[in-house]
Amino acid sequence: MSKDIVIRGLRQNNLKNVSLNIPKNKIVVFTGVSGSGKSSIVFDTIAAESQRQMNETYSAWVRGRLPKYEKPHVEFIDNLTASVIIDQSRISGNARSTVGTISDMYASLRLLFSRIGEPYVGPASYFSFNNPNGMCKTCSGIGKILDLDIEQVIDPEKSFNEGMLNLPAFGVGNYYWKMYAGSGLYSLDKKWKDYTEEERNLLLYGSRTKNGEREHKRIEGIKNQFQRLCLMKGPEEQNDNTLKRLNHFMRETVCPDCQGKRLNPEALSCKVQGYTITEMCEMEFTHLREILLTIEDPRVTVVVKGLIDGLTRMIDIGLPYLFMNRETVTLSGGEAQRLKLVRYMGSSLTGMTYIFDEPSVGMHPRDVFRMSRLLQSLRDKGNTVLVVEHDKDIISIADEIIDVGPLAGRNGGNILFQGSYEALLVSGTLTGNAMKEKVQVKEHVRKPKEFLPVRDAHLHNLKHIDVDIPLRVLTVVTGVAGSGKSSLIRDVFAKQYEEKVVLVDQSAITATGRSTACTYLGFFDEIRKVFAAENQVDAGLFSFNSKGACTSCKGRGVITTELVFMDPVTTVCEACEGKRYSKEALSYTYKGKNIVEVLDMNVEDAREFFGGLPKIRKHLDALLETGLPYLSVGLPLSTLSGGERQGVKLAKELHKRGKIYVLDEPTTGLHASDIKKVMALLDGLVDRGNTVIVIEHNTDVMKMADYIIDIGPDGGSAGGEVVFTGTPSQMIEKGNTITAEFLRKE
């Protein structure tokens, strides 16, 4: 029998001198409320130390090019194995990064076309849109081009002399305006709307001779000039302010030469089984697999088998609706996590430790079942599977469960339970009680009296659907992954009614390492003003990013020493003792507390402390509403768990009082005991006269809704239709959908 992973004296983040043995070759699930310390054990300790020690086995030259990991705050850790980390971080990339390139399947497809494609074009590189041999020359393999948006640039009600052109360089009296006005080519007092087609072309593209040469060398036309001066320059050649200004005048259009297919005509002329490589890349995985199964050419037997195996793994993991040309930046966190996992599903390695961060995120209950089978197969191969999870279905298949708590932050960091699922149910912990509790279907639902129509929605896989979105009720939009619910609500409905909608989605909080909860929500400025007024000094003195910063660590609180080929060493700044502020800043107080002591307060205590200041209080009230009373107001955002980050994000939107709130899976990362709190918050928004629309898979959330819209019947091309609308009770009684089946089981 394999030895356990042994941990002694673990004090990482909020963990309180934790010691535990984690069995190998088992599925071990770590659970507990958000911020309890689960991730500190699994990711910040086990994963980080495993990676750090693995890196030490390489040469100094190689280590210098690998990610650096700091040694966790632990007295003793032993019996680690090599680890594979599958987290929720979105796959980084740009317009050139697709599902096909990130999964390596596109490389195999290129090889297939280079060997048996007709007519023969060349080696595999001739089918790559990232290679000069294969890319479309016009768009450089992007499939899209940036062009001047004439509607934003030209005011049709004005003449040249009246400032027809909105471009800064062409303002009345500016250099380019004088150049064009003095050319004698244009009617300066004629409004754009009265221009003839010839006159418009003259202004946009300049005057040319019969030979195609410009008549006036300096007058090239505003479109041509904009293209040369702005669009042909890379972002690195322009500052951020310039780019922001330019974005207003630009629009993204499909490349006119390749029609968005990214490749040159030669590559697009080559076919296999009657399809071009682009046509295959735009097929859903289920369809593409069917096509590949018909190829019997012995020259590509190995290539085809590898592609089919890869596609099968994609389908089995719940991604049958994806296609190779899908850009990776458009993938959700759950989709990205599953895509990463596919890389390891066909591996023959054993004795590994696979580490998952909430693998059920973004999954319909049907797909959660598939994920459960996958975790079990990894274990059965002789691997250790460590999972941070809240989902009941994943927790229930665990061989061992470790419950961390009892609460979050300072009130967490202890091991409350370790044992089987059956033992967890009678343990009396918050998690154990939540697992036993059965949420009842909402009996008294709000009846919608008004609706907002969506007509002929046909974006992505939506099949020209009509649907009415109810107002002033709590609506859940559900359906299997890839069914089209996000396309309908986020991309169609939210944009159609943009002026009424407050969108709270899963996109990352854009913040630096210095960003805190109070800076993100915007009330840190008010706190600094309070201190400045109390002490009659400059408010900048109370910012660790400005005048108040410790001069030694520049307001970071720590000093990191890079040792090139070794792991970095981070030490607490001796000058400020990790407080980030100068001695002068710390000498000033408000109500007997200095700025650091105030930032160390949790939300609940800060609410009482600043109770008489409404500009600060409203933000603290919002954090309390979103279930974060324990959070320190000055805690760096980088240290927050996924559930905490979402709570902070929601808190920022609450005070805006928008008419329609659209939330994308707000229960992501939340403990089962917190879901009711979130739903109570959303109910409160509706009670105040707002409309709340939630995109969600969680069956408990569906039960607490007033109205359900189910999109399906399946994902991808098999979805895109409205398959049910009505109350949760009506769905259970007569719903004939995949979601209805799982809702009845609950």
Side-chain angles (χ1 to χ4, degrees):
M1 186 174 177
S2 300
K3 293 182 178 179
D4 295 343
I5 297 172
V6 179
I7 298 175
R8 297 288 183 267
L10 179 57
R11 296 179 302 279
Q12 189 75 15
N13 299 327
N14 69 329
L15 295 172
K16 297 180 174 61
N17 201 35
V18 165
S19 296
L20 70 164
N21 286 21
I22 302 169
K24 287 186 178 179
N25 301 336
K26 303 285 186 182
I27 297 175
V28 182
V29 171
F30 292 77
T31 189
V33 300
S34 297
S36 60
K38 314 180 292 295
S39 296
S40 296
I41 298 174
V42 178
F43 290 96
D44 298 343
T45 303
I46 298 174
E49 183 64 4
S50 172
Q51 296 283 327
R52 191 185 71 84
Q53 293 191 24
M54 278 294 297
N55 288 356
E56 287 183 349
T57 65
Y58 299 109
S59 67
W61 188 87
V62 174
R63 291 204 308 273
R65 286 151 180 80
L66 292 174
K68 307 292 193 301
Y69 300 92
E70 291 188 47
K71 188 175 177 64
H73 299 289
V74 61
E75 292 177 5
F76 179 78
I77 185 167
D78 199 16
N79 297 331
L80 293 175
T81 61
S83 61
V84 175
I85 302 165
I86 304 103
D87 59 18
Q88 289 185 46
S89 60
R90 294 180 182 264
I91 298 173
S92 60
N94 50 38
R96 297 186 179 276
S97 177
T98 66
V99 169
T101 60
I102 203 73
S103 65
D104 291 332
M105 287 194 292
Y106 188 57
S108 298
L109 197 64
R110 291 193 288 111
L111 185 61
L112 174 72
F113 271 78
S114 70
R115 289 187 177 178
I116 65 170
E118 296 289 344
Y120 178 77
V121 173
S125 65
Y126 282 65
F127 297 93
S128 172
F129 49 79
N130 292 325
N131 189 296
N133 292 326
M135 66 173 56
C136 168
K137 299 297 188 288
T138 303
C139 62
S140 299
I142 300 294
K144 294 170 285 192
I145 60 171
L146 289 174
D147 199 4
L148 191 66
D149 189 347
I150 300 301
E151 292 183 359
Q152 296 295 328
V153 171
I154 299 180
D155 187 339
E157 299 296 330
K158 291 182 179 179
S159 67
F160 205 86
N161 279 335
E162 293 171 333
M164 172 202 302
L165 301 176
N166 294 323
L167 290 169
F170 285 85
V172 176
N174 288 347
Y175 175 76
Y176 285 115
W177 182 90
K178 291 179 180 178
M179 184 192 299
Y180 277 67
S183 68
L185 295 174
Y186 310 105
S187 177
L188 303 182
D189 295 312
K190 195 174 185 178
K191 300 183 187 300
W192 173 259
K193 66 179 183 180
D194 299 324
Y195 271 38
T196 64
E197 191 67 25
E198 184 180 352
E199 289 173 325
R200 291 184 177 186
N201 286 333
L202 188 63
L203 181 59
L204 294 176
Y205 305 106
S207 176
R208 295 186 178 273
T209 65
K210 292 181 180 179
N211 298 326
E213 297 178 355
R214 288 210 309 265
E215 288 186 26
H216 299 263
K217 292 184 178 181
R218 298 174 68 192
I219 309 298
E220 53 188 314
I222 61 170
K223 279 197 81 171
N224 294 334
Q225 198 156 354
F226 188 83
Q227 183 86 20
R228 178 177 60 83
L229 295 176
C230 302
L231 300 184
M232 288 183 176
K233 290 184 178 180
E236 68 281 353
E237 298 179 70
Q238 304 179 48
N239 61 46
D240 291 341
N241 290 331
T242 301
L243 289 172
K244 286 178 182 178
R245 288 201 307 272
L246 292 179
N247 283 335
H248 178 68
F249 301 116
M250 293 188 296
R251 62 177 180 180
E252 196 174 69
T253 59
V254 175
C255 174
D257 286 351
C258 70
Q259 297 299 312
K261 297 176 181 177
R262 299 171 176 255
L263 299 171
N264 59 38
E266 291 75 22
L268 293 173
S269 69
C270 184
K271 293 185 177 182
V272 171
Q273 300 296 89
Y275 298 97
T276 67
I277 191 168
T278 299
E279 289 170 339
M280 285 193 175
C281 286
E282 290 173 350
M283 293 178 184
E284 292 182 3
F285 288 152
T286 47
H287 185 200
L288 179 57
R289 185 173 64 172
E290 291 173 4
I291 300 297
L292 293 175
L293 285 169
T294 65
I295 299 175
E296 298 178 350
D297 195 315
R299 292 175 293 173
V300 290
T301 301
V302 175
V303 178
V304 171
K305 184 181 183 303
L307 275 167
I308 291 172
D309 289 347
L311 291 169
T312 301
R313 288 193 289 270
M314 286 285 195
I315 294 165
D316 288 345
I317 206 171
L319 298 173
Y321 56 88
L322 288 187
F323 50 94
M324 286 201 203
N325 265 1
R326 172 93 173 255
E327 293 182 11
T328 54
V329 292
T330 67
L331 297 173
S332 68
E335 288 170 333
Q337 187 171 205
R338 279 174 278 170
L339 186 56
K340 293 176 201 174
L341 180 57
V342 169
R343 301 177 188 177
Y344 308 106
M345 289 172 61
S347 174
S348 57
L349 293 172
T350 60
M352 305 285 287
T353 298
Y354 287 87
I355 300 175
F356 293 85
D357 185 13
E358 298 190 53
S360 68
V361 166
M363 284 190 179
H364 190 272
R366 181 190 66 177
D367 298 322
V368 173
F369 174 72
R370 293 173 174 172
M371 176 60 74
S372 299
R373 288 191 304 176
L374 174 62
L375 298 177
Q376 290 169 327
S377 69
L378 286 173
R379 174 200 61 193
D380 295 342
K381 281 185 177 182
N383 299 299
T384 302
V385 181
L386 306 183
V387 186
V388 175
E389 187 57 86
H390 295 296
D391 187 272
K392 181 179 179 179
D393 293 330
I394 299 290
I395 295 173
S396 65
I397 68 158
D399 302 303
E400 189 101 358
I401 298 165
I402 297 174
D403 193 6
V404 188
L407 298 174
R410 299 171 183 173
N411 299 316
N414 293 304
I415 304 299
L416 304 178
F417 168 85
Q418 183 170 355
S420 66
Y421 180 70
E422 291 73 21
L424 175 67
L425 296 179
V426 296
S427 65
T429 67
L430 198 60
T431 303
N433 294 336
M435 293 296 103
K436 288 191 298 184
E437 188 175 359
K438 186 177 178 69
V439 175
Q440 300 300 314
V441 177
K442 196 173 189 177
E443 293 184 6
H444 304 290
V445 298
R446 303 177 183 90
K447 295 181 179 179
K449 297 178 181 179
E450 295 180 75
F451 296 82
L452 286 178
V454 175
R455 297 290 179 263
D456 193 35
H458 54 272
L459 185 70
H460 303 317
N461 69 329
L462 297 175
K463 295 183 172 64
H464 298 271
I465 63 174
D466 298 333
V467 63
D468 294 316
I469 309 296
L471 295 176
R472 287 181 285 281
V473 300
L474 175 55
T475 300
V476 169
V477 181
T478 189
V480 299
S483 61
K485 48 190 186 297
S486 292
S487 296
L488 173 64
I489 300 302
R490 290 185 50 184
D491 301 331
V492 177
F493 173 78
K495 290 182 180 178
Q496 183 176 336
Y497 299 100
E498 190 173 5
E499 72 284 354
K500 300 178 181 179
V501 168
V502 175
L503 179 62
V504 183
D505 60 15
Q506 294 188 40
S507 58
I509 295 176
T510 51
T512 68
R514 294 173 176 267
S515 297
T516 64
C518 59
T519 58
Y520 177 71
L521 292 173
F523 65 93
F524 188 39
D525 287 345
E526 296 300 324
I527 292 176
R528 292 193 291 111
K529 287 177 183 177
V530 168
F531 270 84
E534 178 75 11
N535 297 281
Q536 298 297 304
V537 293
D538 187 350
L541 195 60
F542 303 101
S543 170
F544 50 74
N545 295 322
S546 184
K547 296 178 181 179
C550 168
T551 54
S552 297
C553 64
K554 310 300 182 187
R556 294 184 179 88
V558 295
I559 294 176
T560 301
T561 306
E562 297 286 347
L563 300 177
V564 188
F565 297 126
M566 299 175 66
D567 298 320
V569 176
T570 300
T571 56
V572 175
C573 175
E574 293 182 0
C576 67
E577 298 179 338
K579 295 176 181 178
R580 310 213 262 189
Y581 283 94
S582 67
K583 290 182 179 180
E584 183 187 0
L586 295 175
S587 68
Y588 299 108
T589 62
Y590 174 74
K591 290 186 179 180
K593 294 186 179 294
N594 63 32
I595 187 67
V596 170
E597 291 170 329
V598 168
L599 293 178
D600 282 343
M601 286 183 177
N602 63 39
V603 172
E604 209 162 26
D605 292 340
R607 170 64 175 80
E608 185 176 346
F609 187 76
F610 292 112
L613 301 171
K615 289 184 178 180
I616 298 175
R617 191 180 64 232
K618 70 176 183 179
H619 296 287
L620 296 169
D621 285 342
L623 287 169
L624 287 173
E625 282 191 75
T626 54
L628 299 172
Y630 59 86
L631 203 69
S632 297
V633 296
L635 194 67
L637 291 178
S638 58
T639 65
L640 301 185
S641 68
E644 289 168 334
R645 283 196 302 272
Q646 190 141 4
V648 171
K649 200 170 184 180
L650 182 57
K652 187 171 184 175
E653 305 295 340
L654 285 180
H655 72 279
K656 292 184 177 180
R657 295 292 180 266
K659 295 179 181 180
I660 302 172
Y661 287 85
V662 174
L663 297 97
D664 189 2
E665 299 192 54
T667 64
T668 297
L670 290 184
H671 190 266
S673 64
D674 293 324
I675 292 177
K676 280 190 173 181
K677 296 178 183 176
V678 171
M679 295 308 292
L681 167 64
L682 301 183
D683 263 326
L685 287 174
V686 177
D687 289 339
R688 294 199 289 272
N690 297 298
T691 298
V692 177
I693 303 165
V694 179
I695 304 169
E696 190 57 84
H697 293 118
N698 191 296
T699 52
D700 288 347
V701 174
M702 296 179 208
K703 291 177 181 179
M704 290 183 271
D706 297 312
Y707 197 83
I708 295 178
I709 299 173
D710 195 6
I711 310 297
D714 215 304
S717 60
E721 301 176 36
V722 179
V723 292
F724 175 85
T725 59
T727 67
S729 298
Q730 290 170 339
M731 186 176 218
I732 291 173
E733 290 170 10
K734 59 183 182 181
N736 187 27
T737 68
I738 296 171
T739 304
E741 290 176 15
F742 281 92
L743 191 59
R744 280 190 280 268
K745 291 178 183 177
E746 295 290 325

